[in-house]
Amino acid sequence: MTAHVLVVNAGSSSLKYSLVDADTGVALATGLVERIGEESGGSHTHTGPDGTKHREDRQCRSHEEALRTAVDAFGRIGPSLTETPITAVGHRVVHGGARFADPVVVDDQVLAAVADLVPLAPLHNPANLEGLTVARRLFPDLPHVAVFDTAFHQTIPPRAYTYAVPLAWRDEHRIRRYGFHGTSHQFVSGEAARMLGRDPAEVNVIVLHLGNGASATAVRAGESVDTSMGLTPLEGLVMGTRSGDIDPALHAHLARQFGWTLEQIDTALNRDSGLKGIAGQNDFREVVRLRAEGDPAAELAFDVYAYRIRKYVGAYYAVLGSVDAIVFTAGVGEHNPDLREAALAGLDRLGIRLDLERNRGEVDGPTLVSPAGADVAVLVIPTNEEWEIARQTLTALGR
Ligand code: ADP
């Protein structure tokens, strides 16, 4: 029988959900409740089986109210949960620390462990915990599974996850690299092996997940061996509003020279940096538009963004020794051929080439954009984190 997994992604003021057919990955419904707990501007969108997006103004006071609103929409708009019963609920949880390398069936102990990890993900884990708690209250008879964004990266060896910092920091405060976007990297690297018609255990892949957040992962034989995000999602590639790699002494410099607080610096690096910091726009489409008009700041932002990707491709090529595929995924990776060209140009000696025509062609589903027979296949593969969460939810339930 087909299993339908309700995938829940609870943010601090939002709740995203999707009812996924775990066999096909098709979403029978998707929805988003925004500005939960805020004064005004709340909204709810629900897209049912016919693909029509229903939007209403809706101020939800709590995540519980938000989830009830979603359940109500299934009744009003569809699909009916009586006719399409939910098999299980899969929760996206950002931080699983060093404790969770796999998805787990949620019980009180798991909730306590997620709470224990709040210091490592102070913005995300409390919201995820709230999502888990209210969903268990609303669906007490269904199994709930937590799928961690960090889990796929738990195979990264100590030489790659260790920061060269004092022992006490690492031992007592769990300071190390964890990595994020794990479900996406796992899904996409698996799809890459499938596209190449090979066993995942035989292929090495560099995955470039370029969305609002962005990260690169080196995948050897189906396992993550290095990734660009670290203790937090700030490290690594240039993102929409995050700086990515910077000199770690920058905080001290700004604090000493200008008296800025850690809070101000942290906010600026996470929210006002990246593409937004350089071009004034965090949306890549806007950067592309301004660049086409000859805006020098947008040109620089594009350059810095592409150059950082190229550096990580080189680094992960060296980490893996040999590379079978480079995969572009998420909003920017899937939709911007110029960026793919800029990031990979001139790497022929590494066996990396694009077929310029294919790269510029329509990308609708997994697409090969390198010449046939090239040493390294360059692929564009739409990510589907919800499907991966649905599949992992069933795996955790032994189905
Ligand atoms: P998230 O990380 O929130 O899942 P997405 O994967 O949707 O984000 O990626 C969002 C980014 O993708 C934005 O910067 C957006 O501008 C960019 N993007 C989306 N569509 C296109 C497109 N057609 N061309 C260029 N960039 C795009």
Side-chain angles (χ1 to χ4, degrees), residues 254-273:
L254 295 171
R256 286 194 199 109
Q257 297 300 320
F258 309 109
W260 292 0
T261 66
L262 279 179
E263 219 39 57
Q264 286 173 309
I265 298 166
D266 192 47
T267 304
L269 289 173
N270 276 290
R271 301 219 195 128
D272 302 320
S273 299

Side-chain angles (χ1 to χ4, degrees), residues 170-232:
R170 291 181 281 122
D171 270 10
E172 289 161 33
H173 306 306
R174 301 178 280 189
I175 302 302
R176 50 162 281 181
R177 312 183 67 253
Y178 291 98
F180 300 88
H181 288 149
T183 26
S184 177
H185 287 293
Q186 188 165 7
F187 175 81
V188 163
S189 53
E191 287 297 300
R194 197 200 311 266
M195 272 181 83
L196 299 179
R198 295 175 60 188
D199 185 335
E202 286 174 359
V203 295
N204 292 346
V205 184
I206 298 173
V207 180
L208 302 165
H209 175 111
L210 311 173
N212 284 313
S215 64
T217 295
V219 181
R220 172 181 286 133
E223 293 187 343
S224 171
V225 292
D226 204 349
T227 193
S228 59
M229 285 178 167
L231 173 73
T232 77

Side-chain angles (χ1 to χ4, degrees), residues 7 29 84 97 200 214 234 239 249 259 282 306 379 382:
V7 176
T84 319
L234 185 61
M239 310 179 210
N282 64 291
L379 307 170

